[in-house]
Amino acid sequence: MNNLPYTISINGVDNVGKTTQMRLLPSHYTISKISRFRVENTRIDELHQQGLLQRWWWESTSEDFVYSMVDTLALRYWNATMDLDSKVVLFDRGVAMFEAILVAVIATKRPDHDLDRARMAFRTILEESKLHLPKETFAILLTHGESPIESLQITLSREKEILDERYRLYQVLLQSELQRQERDGVYQHIIRISATSSIGNVQNELREVIFKYTTNSLFLPMLHQLETVYIISGLSNSGKSSIAEKFCSHYGTAHAFRTRIVYFNDLISEKFGRSMYSLADKEQARELYHELERFSTAHYWFKIIILESMHSHLVTEWLKVWLGDKLRVVYVDTAETLRLNRGLVMPEVIASKDTLKIARGVGLIRFDADLVLDNNDSLANTMNNLLNFDRKGKLKRSGQLAVK
C-alpha cells in the first residue's frame, strides 16, 4: 500500500481555470493527469456514446444517478492508481467536488431545491446501496470572486452556450455546496484567484502546495532554473541570428543556450507524429512550454534560453500570459533595403518568407514586444541597446528599479 501514488485533486467552481492549471502542471511519465471523467464500459460511457447523457443527467432518478456516477468515480480512481510508473496522480475534479455535484443535481431535481435534504438523500443512497467513495491524499479548491454573487457572475459570464434557468439554478446550488464544503474544512488547501491573479502566479502557488505535500522536485516553480527566456523575432534577414549569437556569447555558452525555435517545434511534431502547426495555438504554446521545462530541468546550468525566429503571435501571447516577465520578447526592426542588401538570397525568396511570417503574426509580435530593437545602425550599437534593456529587466525583477 505504501507504493500507491499521491492522489491530488484540483477542484473549484466551473470556469475557474481548473483544466488550464492542470495542463500547465509538469508533464512527466511519473505524473498522471486525469481530466476525463468517463470510463470505458460504464453506464456513463454508454450514455455518452448514445448521445443520451445530458437527458439522463437531468431526468434520471436520484438513485440511478448516484449509483452510476459513484461507480464511474470509483473505477476512475482505481484505473489511475494502478499505473506502476505513477508517483503522483492529478485529478481534474476530485471526490469532494463530485459529491458537491451530486448533491447539487439532486437538489435541482427536487421541487424545493433544498440542499440539506438533497445531501441527506445522497448519503441515504450511499448507505442503502453500500457504495463507498474513493479516498484521495489531499484536495485543493480554486475560488474566484470576492463574494458568492460575484463568483456566480464570473462563472456564468464565461459560459459559451445559451444558459437555461435549470442550469443557472444548478450553478447557484453547486456553488453554495462548494462554499459549505470550504467552511467545513473539506479541502486541505484553498487558492483564491483575484482579478489581478495571473495564470502563471496561480500555477506557481498550485505547484508550491503540491511540492509541500509530495516533496517532488518536478513541482518546483515554472522554469525555476531559468532567469529569462528570450524570444528574438523579426522578418527575414533582419539580423536575428547575429544578434542572438552575440547575446549568447555575452553570457557565455556555459550559462546561455541559443537555438532556433524549430529545434523545439520538431520535438513536438515527433511527439504527435504530425506537424505541430496542426495543433491549436494554445496547444502549441503549452507543448512548447513543456519542452522548455524539460530542457531546463535536464540542462539546469543554463540561466538564459534564447529562441530565434518565433513568428506566431498567438503562441507568443500565450507564453507571455503564463510566464510573465520571465519571458522577454524582442523584435528586431530592420529596414527592407538593408535586409535585401545583407542577404545572399534573391529578393523574391525573402518576400516569400516574409509573407509566411506575416501570416503567422510576426507584425503583431512587433506591436506587443517588450523591446523593438532598431537594427539599422551598427551591430555594436544594436547590442548596446539590447544589453541595456537586459540590465534594466534584471534590476526590475530584483526590485532595484522603480516601475513607472
Side-chain angles (χ1 to χ4, degrees):
M1 295 294 287
N2 292 334
N3 293 325
L4 288 175
Y6 286 94
T7 51
I8 303 163
S9 64
I10 315 298
N11 308 276
V13 297
D14 288 349
N15 300 322
V16 75
K18 299 182 293 295
T19 302
T20 294
Q21 294 299 335
M22 273 278 292
R23 289 175 176 170
L24 285 175
L25 285 168
S27 179
H28 194 264
Y29 76 96
T30 62
I31 299 172
S32 294
K33 299 180 185 180
I34 312 298
S35 296
R36 177 173 151 164
F37 177 68
R38 288 185 291 113
V39 178
E40 290 183 2
N41 301 319
T42 60
R43 179 86 186 284
I44 302 295
D45 185 50
E46 291 172 2
L47 288 164
H48 176 80
Q49 292 186 34
Q50 295 166 6
L52 299 173
L53 183 59
Q54 185 174 9
R55 179 178 176 183
W56 172 85
W57 185 275
W58 297 115
E59 295 181 7
S60 59
T61 64
S62 295
E63 291 77 10
D64 183 22
F65 185 72
V66 171
Y67 185 87
S68 299
M69 290 288 285
V70 172
D71 178 57
T72 299
L73 183 63
L75 282 171
R76 181 190 194 225
Y77 270 73
W78 172 263
N79 292 345
T81 55
M82 288 302 102
D83 184 344
L84 296 178
D85 287 329
S86 294
K87 304 299 180 187
V88 177
V89 179
L90 301 166
F91 291 99
D92 184 344
R93 301 173 181 84
V95 175
M97 179 157 187
F98 273 106
E99 184 173 344
I101 290 170
L102 289 164
V103 169
V105 170
I106 294 171
T108 303
K109 294 176 179 180
R110 290 178 59 90
D112 59 7
H113 308 311
D114 189 294
L115 279 170
D116 291 331
R117 291 179 178 176
R119 199 177 309 113
M120 289 176 61
F122 166 69
R123 290 171 181 167
T124 299
I125 294 168
L126 286 183
E127 291 173 7
E128 292 180 351
S129 303
K130 295 182 170 54
L131 295 171
H132 299 282
L133 294 171
K135 303 292 184 184
E136 55 194 18
T137 310
F138 69 96
I140 301 168
L141 181 69
L142 308 183
T143 69
H144 58 199
E146 298 298 323
S147 67
I149 293 175
E150 185 182 359
S151 175
L152 182 64
Q153 288 173 340
I154 294 171
T155 290
L156 295 178
S157 70
R158 292 176 178 173
E159 289 288 349
K160 296 178 181 178
E161 298 179 1
I162 298 174
L163 308 179
D164 58 25
E165 288 306 311
R166 180 174 59 188
Y167 182 77
R168 289 176 183 274
L169 172 62
Y170 163 70
Q171 282 295 337
V172 170
L173 295 168
L174 175 60
Q175 296 215 15
S176 297
E177 187 64 7
L178 287 168
Q179 289 154 13
R180 181 201 63 78
Q181 289 181 333
E182 180 185 347
R183 291 193 301 271
D184 290 352
V186 170
Y187 300 96
Q188 283 71 43
H189 194 88
I190 314 295
I191 295 179
R192 305 194 186 281
I193 302 174
S194 70
T196 58
S197 298
S198 71
I199 292 174
N201 288 342
V202 174
Q203 174 69 191
N204 281 332
E205 185 175 351
L206 186 57
R207 288 178 177 225
E208 182 182 356
V209 173
I210 297 173
F211 177 71
K212 176 184 174 182
Y213 280 91
T214 66
T215 65
N216 187 324
S217 61
L218 290 170
F219 291 98
L220 288 169
M222 302 170 78
L223 301 178
H224 65 281
Q225 299 94 336
L226 294 173
E227 292 178 5
T228 318
V229 176
Y230 268 96
I231 282 177
I232 310 292
S233 184
L235 290 171
S236 303
N237 281 19
S238 57
K240 299 182 296 294
S241 295
S242 299
I243 290 166
E245 182 181 10
K246 286 280 188 183
F247 196 31
C248 188
S249 297
H250 171 77
Y251 282 102
T253 53
H255 295 93
F257 175 76
R258 164 209 169 208
T259 185
R260 292 169 65 85
I261 194 69
V262 69
Y263 171 79
F264 290 109
N265 288 355
D266 283 350
L267 291 176
I268 297 166
S269 297
E270 288 171 14
K271 173 183 174 181
F272 285 91
R274 64 182 193 274
S275 170
M276 73 163 284
Y277 292 112
S278 65
L279 306 175
D281 294 299
K282 188 175 182 180
E283 194 173 356
Q284 288 181 43
R286 188 169 57 246
E287 291 299 327
L288 177 56
Y289 159 71
H290 283 308
E291 290 299 335
L292 285 169
E293 188 159 52
R294 270 189 282 271
F295 182 89
S296 65
T297 299
H299 304 81
Y300 55 86
W301 54 89
F302 288 132
K303 300 304 176 188
I304 294 175
I305 290 180
I306 303 164
L307 300 177
E308 295 175 40
S309 301
M310 167 70 87
H311 307 306
S312 171
H313 172 251
L314 290 174
V315 171
T316 304
E317 195 173 53
W318 278 116
L319 289 171
K320 192 69 174 175
V321 166
W322 300 332
L323 297 177
D325 287 341
K326 191 179 281 286
L327 181 72
R328 308 289 275 167
V329 181
V330 176
Y331 181 90
V332 180
D333 193 25
T334 310
E336 184 178 10
T337 53
L338 285 175
R339 293 193 296 113
L340 292 173
N341 291 334
R342 284 175 178 172
L344 300 176
V345 183
M346 297 295 289
E348 54 267 28
V349 175
I350 293 176
S352 176
K353 289 182 177 180
D354 283 349
T355 299
L356 179 60
K357 292 169 184 177
I358 291 168
R360 288 181 176 162
V362 73
L364 293 172
I365 292 179
R366 184 190 189 283
F367 182 78
D368 290 336
D370 296 298
L371 173 66
V372 176
L373 184 62
D374 188 328
N375 191 30
N376 293 298
D377 201 343
S378 68
L379 181 58
N381 283 343
T382 298
M383 291 309 301
N384 281 336
N385 291 334
L386 177 57
L387 293 173
N388 283 335
F389 169 76
D390 182 57
R391 280 191 289 271
K392 287 180 180 178
K394 283 184 169 60
L395 290 171
K396 179 181 175 182
R397 288 191 296 275
S398 67
Q400 298 177 47
L401 182 68
V403 180
K404 295 183 179 181

